[in-house]
Amino acid sequence: MANFDTLFDKYDRLVFFDTETTGLLYARDEIIEFAAVVVEQVDGKATVVQEYDELIQLSSGGFVPPKIEQLTGITTAQLREKGLPKTRVARDIAEMIRGNTLLLAYNAHFDLSFLFYFLLRHGDMQVLKGKDKLDLLTVY
């Protein structure tokens, strides 16, 4: 755990995140679920200070392809009934990653590409500018 704790020598916050999407093409497909864990140093110990896991409304006419529904268990009906508006999730993400934050994801290029386009369309993609990113797949 000592190596993990040294990240707080450089960063105030670590955000581990994952997305579920309607497909593989970040310029066309949509994020349908965003989940994250925010870790900060509290009293000298890495502490989870926030957990976030929300479904996201589909765009008008959008749907979850059967293969994605099978993989994720997320249905079009669930997103229509329980999904949060995209602008709300974009604001939540911006708040979560504010300041001196390290973004961490497994296969980060995939998730970051989707996140960039999501924020470009529904929020402020500038919140990603200058943020260090760590791909946990390469670490693994």
Coordinates of all heavy atoms in Angstrom, one line a residue, residues 4-59:
F4 N 0.9 3.1 -3.4 CA -0.4 3.7 -3.6 C -0.5 5.0 -2.9 O -0.9 6.0 -3.4 CB -1.5 2.8 -3.2 CG -2.9 3.3 -3.4 CD1 -3.5 3.4 -4.6 CD2 -3.6 3.8 -2.3 CE1 -4.7 3.9 -4.8 CE2 -4.9 4.3 -2.5 CZ -5.4 4.4 -3.7
D5 N -0.1 5.0 -1.6 CA -0.1 6.3 -0.8 C 0.8 7.4 -1.4 O 0.5 8.6 -1.2 CB 0.2 6.0 0.6 CG -0.8 5.1 1.3 OD1 -2.0 5.2 0.9 OD2 -0.5 4.4 2.3
T6 N 1.8 7.0 -2.1 CA 2.7 8.1 -2.6 C 2.0 8.9 -3.7 O 2.5 10.0 -4.0 CB 4.0 7.5 -3.1 OG1 3.7 6.6 -4.2 CG2 4.8 6.8 -2.0
L7 N 0.9 8.4 -4.2 CA 0.2 9.2 -5.2 C -0.3 10.5 -4.6 O -0.5 11.5 -5.3 CB -1.0 8.4 -5.8 CG -0.6 7.2 -6.7 CD1 -1.8 6.4 -7.1 CD2 0.1 7.7 -8.0
F8 N -0.5 10.5 -3.3 CA -1.1 11.7 -2.6 C 0.1 12.7 -2.4 O -0.2 13.8 -2.0 CB -1.8 11.3 -1.3 CG -3.0 10.6 -1.6 CD1 -3.1 9.2 -1.4 CD2 -4.2 11.2 -2.1 CE1 -4.3 8.5 -1.6 CE2 -5.3 10.5 -2.4 CZ -5.4 9.2 -2.2
D9 N 1.3 12.3 -2.7 CA 2.4 13.3 -2.7 C 2.2 14.3 -3.9 O 2.6 15.5 -3.8 CB 3.7 12.7 -2.8 CG 4.1 11.9 -1.6 OD1 3.4 12.0 -0.5 OD2 5.0 11.0 -1.7
K10 N 1.5 13.8 -4.9 CA 1.4 14.6 -6.2 C -0.1 15.0 -6.4 O -0.3 16.1 -7.0 CB 1.9 13.8 -7.4 CG 1.8 14.6 -8.6 CD 2.5 13.9 -9.8 CE 2.5 14.8 -11.0 NZ 3.1 14.1 -12.2
Y11 N -1.1 14.2 -5.9 CA -2.5 14.5 -6.2 C -3.3 14.6 -5.0 O -3.0 14.0 -4.0 CB -3.1 13.3 -7.1 CG -2.3 13.1 -8.3 CD1 -1.4 12.1 -8.4 CD2 -2.4 13.9 -9.4 CE1 -0.7 11.8 -9.6 CE2 -1.7 13.7 -10.6 CZ -0.8 12.7 -10.7 OH -0.1 12.5 -11.8
D12 N -4.3 15.5 -5.0 CA -5.3 15.6 -3.9 C -6.3 14.6 -3.9 O -6.9 14.3 -2.9 CB -5.9 17.0 -4.0 CG -4.9 18.1 -3.9 OD1 -3.9 18.0 -3.2 OD2 -5.1 19.2 -4.5
R13 N -6.6 14.1 -5.1 CA -7.8 13.2 -5.3 C -7.5 12.2 -6.4 O -6.8 12.5 -7.4 CB -9.0 14.0 -5.7 CG -10.3 13.3 -6.0 CD -11.4 14.3 -6.4 NE -11.6 15.3 -5.4 CZ -11.2 16.6 -5.5 NH1 -10.6 17.0 -6.6 NH2 -11.4 17.4 -4.5
L14 N -7.9 11.0 -6.2 CA -7.9 9.9 -7.2 C -9.3 9.6 -7.6 O -10.1 9.3 -6.7 CB -7.1 8.7 -6.7 CG -5.8 8.9 -6.0 CD1 -5.3 7.5 -5.5 CD2 -4.8 9.5 -6.9
V15 N -9.6 9.5 -8.9 CA -10.9 9.1 -9.3 C -10.8 7.9 -10.2 O -10.2 8.0 -11.3 CB -11.6 10.2 -10.1 CG1 -13.0 9.8 -10.6 CG2 -11.8 11.4 -9.2
F16 N -11.2 6.8 -9.7 CA -11.3 5.5 -10.4 C -12.6 5.4 -11.1 O -13.6 5.6 -10.4 CB -11.1 4.3 -9.5 CG -9.8 4.2 -8.8 CD1 -9.6 5.0 -7.6 CD2 -8.8 3.4 -9.2 CE1 -8.4 4.9 -6.9 CE2 -7.6 3.4 -8.5 CZ -7.4 4.1 -7.4
F17 N -12.7 5.3 -12.4 CA -14.0 5.3 -13.1 C -14.1 4.3 -14.2 O -13.1 3.7 -14.7 CB -14.3 6.7 -13.6 CG -13.5 7.1 -14.9 CD1 -14.1 6.9 -16.1 CD2 -12.2 7.5 -14.8 CE1 -13.3 7.3 -17.3 CE2 -11.5 7.9 -15.9 CZ -12.0 7.7 -17.1
D18 N -15.4 4.0 -14.5 CA -15.7 3.0 -15.6 C -16.9 3.5 -16.3 O -17.8 4.2 -15.7 CB -15.9 1.6 -15.0 CG -16.0 0.6 -16.1 OD1 -15.4 0.7 -17.1 OD2 -16.8 -0.3 -15.8
T19 N -17.1 3.2 -17.6 CA -18.3 3.5 -18.3 C -18.8 2.2 -18.9 O -18.1 1.3 -19.2 CB -18.0 4.5 -19.5 OG1 -17.1 3.9 -20.4 CG2 -17.4 5.8 -19.0
E20 N -20.1 2.2 -19.1 CA -20.8 1.3 -20.0 C -21.4 2.1 -21.1 O -21.8 3.2 -20.9 CB -21.9 0.5 -19.2 CG -21.5 -0.3 -18.1 CD -20.5 -1.5 -18.4 OE1 -20.4 -1.8 -19.6 OE2 -19.8 -1.9 -17.5
T21 N -21.3 1.5 -22.3 CA -21.7 2.3 -23.5 C -22.6 1.4 -24.4 O -22.7 0.2 -24.3 CB -20.4 2.7 -24.3 OG1 -19.8 1.5 -24.8 CG2 -19.4 3.5 -23.4
T22 N -23.2 2.1 -25.4 CA -24.0 1.4 -26.4 C -23.2 0.7 -27.5 O -23.8 0.1 -28.3 CB -25.0 2.4 -27.0 OG1 -24.3 3.4 -27.6 CG2 -26.0 2.9 -26.0
G23 N -21.9 0.9 -27.5 CA -21.1 0.3 -28.5 C -19.6 0.7 -28.4 O -19.2 1.2 -27.3
L24 N -18.9 0.6 -29.4 CA -17.4 0.8 -29.3 C -16.9 2.1 -29.9 O -15.8 2.4 -29.8 CB -16.7 -0.4 -30.0 CG -16.9 -1.8 -29.4 CD1 -16.3 -2.8 -30.3 CD2 -16.5 -1.8 -28.0
L25 N -17.8 2.8 -30.6 CA -17.4 4.0 -31.4 C -17.8 5.3 -30.6 O -18.9 5.7 -30.5 CB -18.1 4.0 -32.7 CG -17.8 2.8 -33.6 CD1 -18.6 2.9 -34.9 CD2 -16.3 2.7 -33.9
Y26 N -16.7 5.9 -29.9 CA -17.0 7.0 -29.0 C -17.6 8.2 -29.7 O -18.2 9.0 -29.1 CB -15.7 7.4 -28.3 CG -14.5 7.6 -29.2 CD1 -14.3 8.9 -29.9 CD2 -13.6 6.6 -29.5 CE1 -13.3 9.1 -30.7 CE2 -12.5 6.9 -30.3 CZ -12.3 8.1 -30.9 OH -11.3 8.3 -31.7
A27 N -17.4 8.4 -31.0 CA -17.9 9.5 -31.7 C -19.4 9.3 -32.1 O -20.1 10.2 -32.4 CB -17.1 9.8 -33.0
R28 N -19.9 8.1 -32.0 CA -21.3 7.8 -32.4 C -22.1 7.2 -31.2 O -23.2 7.6 -31.0 CB -21.3 6.8 -33.5 CG -22.7 6.4 -33.9 CD -22.8 5.2 -34.8 NE -22.5 4.0 -34.0 CZ -22.2 2.8 -34.5 NH1 -22.0 2.7 -35.8 NH2 -21.9 1.8 -33.7
D29 N -21.5 6.3 -30.5 CA -22.2 5.6 -29.4 C -22.3 6.4 -28.1 O -21.6 7.5 -28.0 CB -21.6 4.2 -29.1 CG -21.7 3.3 -30.3 OD1 -22.9 3.2 -30.8 OD2 -20.7 2.6 -30.7
E30 N -23.1 6.0 -27.1 CA -23.3 6.8 -26.0 C -22.9 6.1 -24.7 O -22.9 4.8 -24.6 CB -24.8 7.0 -25.8 CG -25.4 7.8 -27.0 CD -26.9 8.0 -26.7 OE1 -27.2 8.7 -25.7 OE2 -27.7 7.6 -27.5
I31 N -22.5 6.9 -23.7 CA -22.3 6.3 -22.4 C -23.7 6.1 -21.8 O -24.5 7.0 -21.8 CB -21.5 7.3 -21.5 CG1 -20.1 7.5 -22.0 CG2 -21.5 6.8 -20.0 CD1 -19.3 8.5 -21.2
I32 N -23.9 4.9 -21.2 CA -25.2 4.6 -20.6 C -25.1 4.4 -19.1 O -26.1 4.4 -18.4 CB -25.9 3.4 -21.3 CG1 -25.0 2.2 -21.2 CG2 -26.4 3.8 -22.7 CD1 -25.7 0.9 -21.8
E33 N -23.9 4.3 -18.6 CA -23.7 4.2 -17.2 C -22.3 4.8 -16.9 O -21.3 4.5 -17.6 CB -23.8 2.8 -16.7 CG -23.6 2.6 -15.2 CD -23.7 1.2 -14.6 OE1 -23.4 0.3 -15.4 OE2 -24.0 1.0 -13.5
F34 N -22.2 5.6 -15.8 CA -20.9 6.1 -15.4 C -20.8 5.8 -13.9 O -21.7 6.1 -13.1 CB -20.8 7.6 -15.5 CG -19.5 8.2 -15.2 CD1 -18.5 8.2 -16.1 CD2 -19.3 8.7 -13.9 CE1 -17.2 8.7 -15.7 CE2 -18.0 9.1 -13.5 CZ -17.0 9.2 -14.4
A35 N -19.7 5.1 -13.6 CA -19.4 4.7 -12.2 C -18.1 5.2 -11.8 O -17.1 5.2 -12.6 CB -19.5 3.2 -12.0
A36 N -17.9 5.6 -10.5 CA -16.6 6.1 -10.1 C -16.5 6.0 -8.6 O -17.5 6.0 -7.9 CB -16.4 7.6 -10.5
V37 N -15.3 5.9 -8.1 CA -14.9 5.9 -6.7 C -13.9 7.0 -6.6 O -12.9 7.1 -7.3 CB -14.4 4.6 -6.2 CG1 -13.9 4.7 -4.8 CG2 -15.4 3.5 -6.4
V38 N -14.2 8.0 -5.6 CA -13.3 9.1 -5.4 C -12.5 8.8 -4.1 O -13.1 8.5 -3.1 CB -14.0 10.4 -5.3 CG1 -13.1 11.6 -5.0 CG2 -14.9 10.7 -6.5
V39 N -11.2 8.8 -4.2 CA -10.3 8.5 -3.0 C -9.5 9.8 -2.7 O -8.9 10.4 -3.6 CB -9.4 7.3 -3.3 CG1 -8.5 7.0 -2.1 CG2 -10.2 6.1 -3.7
E40 N -9.5 10.2 -1.5 CA -8.7 11.3 -1.0 C -7.9 10.8 0.3 O -8.3 9.8 0.9 CB -9.5 12.5 -0.6 CG -10.2 13.1 -1.8 CD -11.1 14.3 -1.5 OE1 -11.2 14.7 -0.3 OE2 -11.7 14.8 -2.4
Q41 N -6.9 11.5 0.6 CA -6.2 11.2 1.8 C -6.9 11.9 3.0 O -7.0 13.1 3.0 CB -4.7 11.6 1.7 CG -3.8 11.0 2.8 CD -2.4 11.2 2.4 OE1 -2.0 12.3 2.1 NE2 -1.6 10.1 2.5
V42 N -7.3 11.1 4.0 CA -8.0 11.7 5.2 C -7.2 11.1 6.4 O -7.1 9.9 6.5 CB -9.5 11.2 5.2 CG1 -10.1 11.7 6.5 CG2 -10.2 11.7 4.0
D43 N -6.7 12.0 7.2 CA -5.9 11.7 8.4 C -4.8 10.7 8.0 O -4.5 9.7 8.7 CB -6.8 11.0 9.4 CG -7.9 12.0 10.0 OD1 -7.6 13.2 10.0 OD2 -9.0 11.5 10.3
G44 N -4.2 11.0 6.9 CA -3.0 10.2 6.5 C -3.3 8.9 5.8 O -2.4 8.1 5.5
K45 N -4.6 8.6 5.6 CA -5.0 7.3 5.0 C -5.8 7.5 3.7 O -6.7 8.4 3.7 CB -5.8 6.5 5.9 CG -5.0 6.0 7.1 CD -5.8 5.1 8.0 CE -5.0 4.7 9.2 NZ -5.6 3.7 10.0
A46 N -5.6 6.7 2.7 CA -6.4 6.7 1.5 C -7.8 6.3 1.9 O -8.0 5.2 2.5 CB -5.9 5.8 0.4
T47 N -8.8 7.2 1.6 CA -10.2 7.0 2.0 C -11.1 7.2 0.9 O -11.0 8.2 0.2 CB -10.5 7.9 3.2 OG1 -9.5 7.7 4.2 CG2 -11.9 7.7 3.8
V48 N -12.1 6.3 0.7 CA -13.1 6.5 -0.3 C -14.1 7.6 0.3 O -14.7 7.4 1.3 CB -13.9 5.2 -0.6 CG1 -15.1 5.5 -1.5 CG2 -13.0 4.2 -1.2
V49 N -14.2 8.7 -0.4 CA -15.0 9.8 0.0 C -16.3 10.0 -0.8 O -17.2 10.7 -0.4 CB -14.2 11.2 0.0 CG1 -13.1 11.1 1.0 CG2 -13.7 11.5 -1.4
Q50 N -16.3 9.3 -1.9 CA -17.5 9.3 -2.7 C -17.6 8.1 -3.6 O -16.6 7.7 -4.2 CB -17.6 10.6 -3.6 CG -18.8 10.7 -4.5 CD -18.8 11.9 -5.4 OE1 -17.8 12.7 -5.4 NE2 -19.8 12.1 -6.1
E51 N -18.8 7.5 -3.7 CA -19.1 6.5 -4.7 C -20.2 7.0 -5.6 O -21.1 7.6 -5.1 CB -19.5 5.2 -4.0 CG -18.4 4.6 -3.2 CD -18.9 3.3 -2.5 OE1 -19.8 2.7 -2.9 OE2 -18.2 3.0 -1.4
Y52 N -20.1 6.8 -6.9 CA -21.0 7.3 -7.9 C -21.3 6.2 -8.9 O -20.4 5.6 -9.4 CB -20.4 8.5 -8.6 CG -21.4 9.3 -9.5 CD1 -22.1 10.3 -9.0 CD2 -21.5 8.9 -10.8 CE1 -22.9 11.1 -9.8 CE2 -22.4 9.6 -11.6 CZ -23.1 10.7 -11.1 OH -23.9 11.4 -12.0
D53 N -22.6 5.9 -9.1 CA -23.0 4.9 -10.1 C -24.3 5.2 -10.6 O -25.3 5.0 -9.9 CB -22.9 3.5 -9.5 CG -23.2 2.4 -10.5 OD1 -23.3 2.7 -11.7 OD2 -23.2 1.2 -10.1
E54 N -24.4 5.8 -11.8 CA -25.7 6.3 -12.3 C -25.9 5.9 -13.8 O -24.9 5.8 -14.6 CB -25.7 7.8 -12.3 CG -25.7 8.4 -10.9 CD -27.0 8.1 -10.1 OE1 -28.0 7.7 -10.6 OE2 -26.9 8.3 -8.8
L55 N -27.1 5.5 -14.1 CA -27.5 5.3 -15.4 C -27.8 6.6 -16.1 O -28.1 7.6 -15.4 CB -28.8 4.4 -15.5 CG -28.7 3.0 -14.9 CD1 -30.1 2.3 -14.9 CD2 -27.7 2.2 -15.7
I56 N -27.6 6.7 -17.4 CA -27.7 7.9 -18.1 C -28.8 7.8 -19.2 O -28.8 6.8 -20.0 CB -26.4 8.3 -18.7 CG1 -25.3 8.4 -17.6 CG2 -26.5 9.7 -19.5 CD1 -23.9 8.6 -18.2
Q57 N -29.6 8.8 -19.3 CA -30.7 8.8 -20.3 C -30.1 8.7 -21.7 O -29.0 9.2 -22.0 CB -31.5 10.0 -20.3 CG -32.4 10.1 -19.1 CD -33.1 11.5 -19.0 OE1 -32.9 12.4 -19.8 NE2 -34.1 11.6 -18.1
L58 N -30.8 7.9 -22.6 CA -30.4 7.9 -24.0 C -30.8 9.1 -24.7 O -31.8 9.8 -24.3 CB -31.1 6.7 -24.6 CG -30.6 5.3 -24.2 CD1 -31.6 4.2 -24.7 CD2 -29.2 5.0 -24.8
S59 N -30.1 9.4 -25.8 CA -30.6 10.5 -26.7 C -31.9 10.1 -27.3 O -32.2 8.9 -27.4 CB -29.5 10.7 -27.8 OG -28.3 11.1 -27.2

